[in-house]
Amino acid sequence: MQITPNIVDIPHLKDLLVRKYLETNFINKKNFASPGFLELFRNPQRILRLTLIAVFYLAIFILLDLVTKQFSELPGIVAWYPPAGLTYALLLVFGVAFTPAVTIALLVDSIFIYHMPQSPFLLVLWAIIISLIYGAAALFLRKRIHLDWQLKKLRDVVWFVFTTVLVSALLAILSVLSSALSGGIPLSEIILQIFHWWIGETVGVLTVTPFLLIFIMPGLKRFVQGERIKFPLRMSFPRVTLSAIGQAVSIVFMLYWVFIAQAPAEFRPLFLIALPLIWIALQRGFKGVAAAILALNSGIVLVMVLFRFDLSRLEELQLT
């Protein structure tokens, strides 16, 4: 007598039936029957983790926006804009599927933080356009250039910097021209404000994104993939060396000397703040200098706020 097998017990047959059903019932077979979609279909926990990443991104984006708003010279134009660096890191690691989250973040930014005077339709359209430009840049680096998002090679760093400079320039032109057409910026200041936007956006990306890609995103990537994160019972910290102490002290000292010390201006040139970075780069490589650049740039901004320096100098300093 022949016994009919239980089809549920046959290995992989259930997945095969799911794939066949999707191929039969969805019009866009390439997208919906892809391995990535099937992985999400079979693993709702992965969807939850990706949703948490999107919510976390929105919260940090808004927090950074509130901090950097005080560096605003005209509505929507800031001298230092780290939220752009956060956006680049998100899209480079997790892909253009997160573009809607960027659109929502930009919309919240325009309406509730900067209170832009344009109509809701124009603000939504603007948020979509900017997020698509960010997404296109990330897609180009991921698919066309095959960028290693951890920036382990000089080639990856060069492409990342080159793309950032070009995309920031495009965003600066579009933003300032649209504001000028709506009467938000005097026509005589268009070129100057384009330059300000470009500097703020570029520096925000180049200081924040490398740090996130190297130190933060690998852990988030493992979290999304469902890998267990183990916390040792006894935390181990790298041994503090004299060179590490000297490098930290040199950053603090240069900030003090350039901005606070009572000395003639000719003895406090801005390029002095680059000396600790050169030391760190020579000894610790790109990974060390990525952290040092973020620390130094954040220190500069903090000093300028605490001691009430003229924020118009920030563009000059960022360019240096």
Side-chain angles (χ1 to χ4, degrees), residues 91-92 96 134-146:
L91 296 177
L92 285 174
V96 295
Y134 280 134
L139 186 65
F140 171 76
L141 290 173
R142 284 167 56 93
K143 301 298 183 181
R144 184 70 176 178
I145 305 302
H146 303 290

Side-chain angles (χ1 to χ4, degrees), residues 105 149 195 288:
W149 55 264
F195 182 74

